Amino acid sequence: MKSENIKIAPSILSADFSKMGEEVRLMQTLGADMIHCDVMDGVFVPNITFGIKMIADIKKHTSLPLDCHLMIVNPEKYVEKFAKAGADYITIHYEACKDNTLNVLNQIKALGVKCGVVINPDTDPSLIKDLICHCDMVLIMSVFPGFGGQSFIESTLKSLQYVKKVVDENNLNTLIEIDGGINFETVRLAKKYGANVIVAGNTIFTATDRKDAIYKLRTL
Ligand code: DX5
Ligand code: ZN
């Protein structure tokens, strides 16, 4: 994969929430391609982050696409509000929607927003096989969602490989995103197995040189 085809999506979960506007502006200046926004409801995952107002507020600080990863139950109740707030991508968990996933993806598309499905590390990727062609992006979680700073689960490389195969066999343009535990070692593996959108929280926000961290994640 050529580095110009790799997109870097810093996760603002690791940013300083008290100065989010500044953090987001800095990410754009330092070369990020999109802003990954982790929305958690304390029900689907054991943590609570932020919601619709945060998306609307950070939208004023960047022209980068906002990649909204909804870790919430009943996302169909909220996707319209996230779309109006300025989400450019909305990804929903298969585990939260199950048989309703395609309906919610279509709901997102009808709002003029790019859509994607997400699977947890222990979800069989063949369950989403028929959904992939309806998605602008598929997100493979390489940690169990809820917290930044966890270790990459290597068995999720198989899920990446599976999705990559489906995308290639069907000549799709679907982006393949990886999220969780990405560092300068695991990013190489993720790319090797097909990821082209790289989410990173801790690796970027704790780096002494954040620009260099983004550059390395793109080129390594
Ligand atoms: C985890 C979130 C991730 C997280 C990644 O539930 O979906 O986006 O912020 O953080 P790092 O890169 O620190 O693992
Ligand atoms: Zn995420």
Side-chain angles (χ1 to χ4, degrees):
M1 178 72 63
K2 287 185 187 153
S3 62
E4 57 264 37
N5 295 328
I6 299 289
K7 293 184 195 297
I8 305 299
S11 166
I12 56 168
L13 183 59
S14 300
D16 181 340
F17 281 25
S18 70
K19 47 176 189 179
M20 198 58 97
E22 198 182 309
E23 295 276 61
V24 166
R25 288 200 302 276
L26 182 64
M27 287 302 115
Q28 179 157 10
T29 308
L30 300 185
D33 299 286
M34 44 175 97
I35 302 292
H36 185 80
C37 306
D38 286 309
V39 176
M40 304 186 191
D41 66 356
V43 180
F44 182 71
V45 284
N47 195 8
I48 299 176
T49 53
F50 50 75
I52 294 142
K53 187 168 187 301
M54 178 66 92
I55 304 304
D57 286 356
I58 65 175
K59 188 77 181 172
K60 298 170 197 152
H61 290 271
T62 181
S63 57
L64 292 180
L66 301 183
D67 167 28
C68 297
H69 174 194
L70 301 190
M71 287 160 273
I72 65 175
V73 296
N74 301 123
E76 68 282 358
K77 291 187 184 167
Y78 298 99
V79 290
E80 186 172 355
K81 291 193 168 95
F82 279 101
K84 284 196 176 130
D88 296 278
Y89 287 82
I90 297 179
T91 60
I92 52 161
H93 271 262
Y94 173 76
E95 300 84 4
C97 305
K98 298 272 173 71
D99 291 349
N100 197 35
T101 307
L102 182 56
N103 289 335
V104 189
L105 291 171
N106 284 330
Q107 192 190 350
I108 297 167
K109 266 193 232 177
L111 293 161
V113 174
K114 295 199 166 78
C115 68
V117 66
V118 191
I119 56 168
N120 280 341
D122 59 353
T123 296
D124 179 349
S126 68
L127 291 169
I128 61 161
K129 183 172 190 240
D130 296 334
L131 296 170
I132 296 174
C133 65
H134 298 277
C135 291
D136 297 291
M137 183 151 80
V138 172
L139 168 51
I140 304 295
M141 289 307 300
S142 38
V143 300
F144 284 92
F147 301 92
Q150 303 182 72
S151 297
F152 187 86
I153 299 171
E154 289 214 7
S155 60
T156 60
L157 292 169
K158 282 202 198 95
S159 302
L160 268 184
Q161 196 171 34
Y162 178 87
V163 172
K164 166 87 172 138
K165 189 164 170 272
V166 174
V167 166
D168 287 350
E169 282 176 359
N170 295 281
N171 283 316
L172 302 172
N173 295 319
T174 316
L175 295 171
I176 305 176
E177 183 174 45
I178 187 83
D179 182 10
I182 292 292
N183 56 37
F184 303 130
E185 296 307 317
T186 56
V187 73
R188 300 171 200 255
L189 288 170
K191 287 179 192 170
K192 185 174 161 195
Y193 284 81
N196 49 22
V197 182
I198 309 294
V199 177
N202 268 25
T203 294
I204 293 173
F205 285 94
T206 66
T208 40
D209 186 341
R210 293 177 178 187
K211 183 174 184 169
D212 185 58
I214 291 171
Y215 175 79
K216 279 190 187 141
L217 290 171
R218 190 190 304 287
T219 53
L220 280 174

